[in-house]
Amino acid sequence: MSAEPAVQLRLLDLQALDSRLDQIEHRRRSLPALATIAEVESRLAALRDRIIAAETEVSDLERVLAKAESDVEQVRARSTKDQDLLLSGRVTSAKELESLQQEVASLARRQGDLEEDELEVMERLEEARAALGALTAERAGFTAQLDAAAAERDTAWAEGDRDREWVSGERATVLPDIPADLLTLYEKLRADHNGVGAAALRQRRCEGCRMELTPTDIGRIRDAAPDAVLRCEECRRILVRTPESGL
Ligand SMILES: [Zn+2]
């Protein structure tokens, strides 16, 4: 394969632009904000279940408390009714009066027990509400972290998009200068060799694999026609001669 020295140098320009596009893509994927987002999202997911459990506990206790309040209210109403009856003077039979007094006393005990239960439920409800409040505060903290990381990601990505657009524009101006057969070889080598298909020869060193060429290879390159497309003996990449090749 052969290509004018100027065309071969143009291939190095293409390689530089392709490497920049690869870097932009790599930065995009390895953004620290992405790791933060993944971590905070998994924490939020775990928190979601705990918040649902805490909310369920609060609503269950609210129901238990409402029932306890209504139980107390019923006993209190019954007791008030009995006491009104006692005070009304309408009950005159000693036996009935005694039975009524016994009922009032029994209702007072019952009310005391129920009020104790009610108080206990109120305390548990207060604790459950505090636990729920702590969890929702934790969620708010994570949500803020998530928003900040997403904003950071979006800014970096927008910057990457602008860079990519610019580099792609440059690449489009270089591409017509590269003959099809050279481009095909370059693309194949690029795919096989970690994104680098063409490398400059500088100071007797292949910039693709960083190996210094042997005197035999240097001699061979010196003798080669200027438009010959050379390959590095070590890494097989296209080796482009430059004014700094040290030949
Ligand atoms: Zn090499």
Side-chain angles (χ1 to χ4, degrees):
M1 193 182 292
S2 64
E4 288 297 312
V7 169
Q8 294 195 29
L9 289 173
R10 224 36 196 142
L11 187 63
L12 288 182
D13 292 341
L14 183 67
Q15 176 65 73
L17 293 167
D18 278 338
S19 293
R20 281 187 63 181
L21 287 174
D22 289 347
Q23 275 167 18
I24 291 165
E25 219 34 60
H26 179 259
R27 266 209 306 274
R28 205 183 163 82
R29 283 195 307 267
S30 60
L31 218 55
L34 292 181
T36 306
I37 288 170
E39 193 194 321
V40 175
E41 273 177 347
S42 86
R43 285 179 181 208
L44 274 172
L47 204 53
R48 210 162 290 142
D49 292 343
R50 289 172 65 201
I51 286 177
I52 289 171
E55 281 170 346
T56 306
E57 196 181 351
V58 167
S59 66
D60 285 352
L61 285 170
E62 281 169 348
R63 238 190 330 272
V64 172
L65 181 61
K67 171 79 167 64
E69 282 168 350
S70 116
D71 288 350
V72 168
E73 202 36 61
Q74 266 179 27
V75 172
R76 190 181 288 137
R78 175 100 178 269
S79 175
T80 306
K81 205 175 135 201
D82 285 355
Q83 286 180 61
D84 287 350
L85 191 58
L86 270 175
L87 293 171
S88 71
R90 276 187 282 126
V91 179
T92 48
S93 144
K95 203 178 163 198
E96 269 183 53
L97 275 173
E98 197 192 334
S99 140
L100 206 51
Q101 275 163 345
Q102 272 171 4
E103 187 171 295
V104 167
S106 148
L107 286 171
R109 280 195 301 276
R110 174 94 183 110
Q111 189 178 334
D113 289 347
L114 287 172
E115 279 171 349
E116 215 168 284
D117 292 348
E118 187 187 0
L119 206 63
E120 196 197 318
V121 174
M122 282 169 85
E123 278 168 12
R124 283 169 56 201
L125 180 58
E126 201 175 314
E127 281 168 20
R129 279 179 177 151
L132 178 60
L135 288 173
T136 52
E138 205 177 329
R139 178 175 59 191
F142 283 144
T143 304
Q145 275 183 38
L146 190 62
D147 291 348
E152 197 181 311
R153 174 201 58 196
D154 292 347
T155 304
W157 277 3
E159 201 177 299
D161 287 346
R162 281 195 300 277
D163 288 351
R164 186 169 48 196
E165 201 176 320
W166 187 85
V167 178
S168 299
E170 289 293 298
R171 190 181 188 274
T173 68
V174 176
L175 220 46
D177 298 343
I178 315 292
D181 57 348
L182 186 60
L183 188 64
T184 304
L185 176 63
Y186 161 76
E187 292 290 10
K188 186 193 177 303
L189 291 170
R190 204 170 107 71
D192 293 346
H193 294 87
N194 209 17
V196 181
L201 175 63
R202 275 203 185 89
Q203 314 302 335
R204 303 180 170 220
R205 207 176 277 274
C206 163
E207 294 215 317
C209 62
R210 305 274 161 198
M211 291 294 286
E212 190 167 341
L213 272 65
T214 63
T216 313
D217 287 339
I218 291 295
R220 186 177 54 85
I221 290 170
R222 206 177 279 140
D223 294 342
D227 65 350
V229 173
L230 305 174
R231 305 279 291 274
C232 171
E233 290 299 322
E234 197 63 42
C235 68
R236 303 305 299 153
R237 291 181 174 101
I238 298 167
L239 197 56
V240 179
R241 282 157 286 178
T242 68
E244 301 91 42
S245 287
L247 293 171

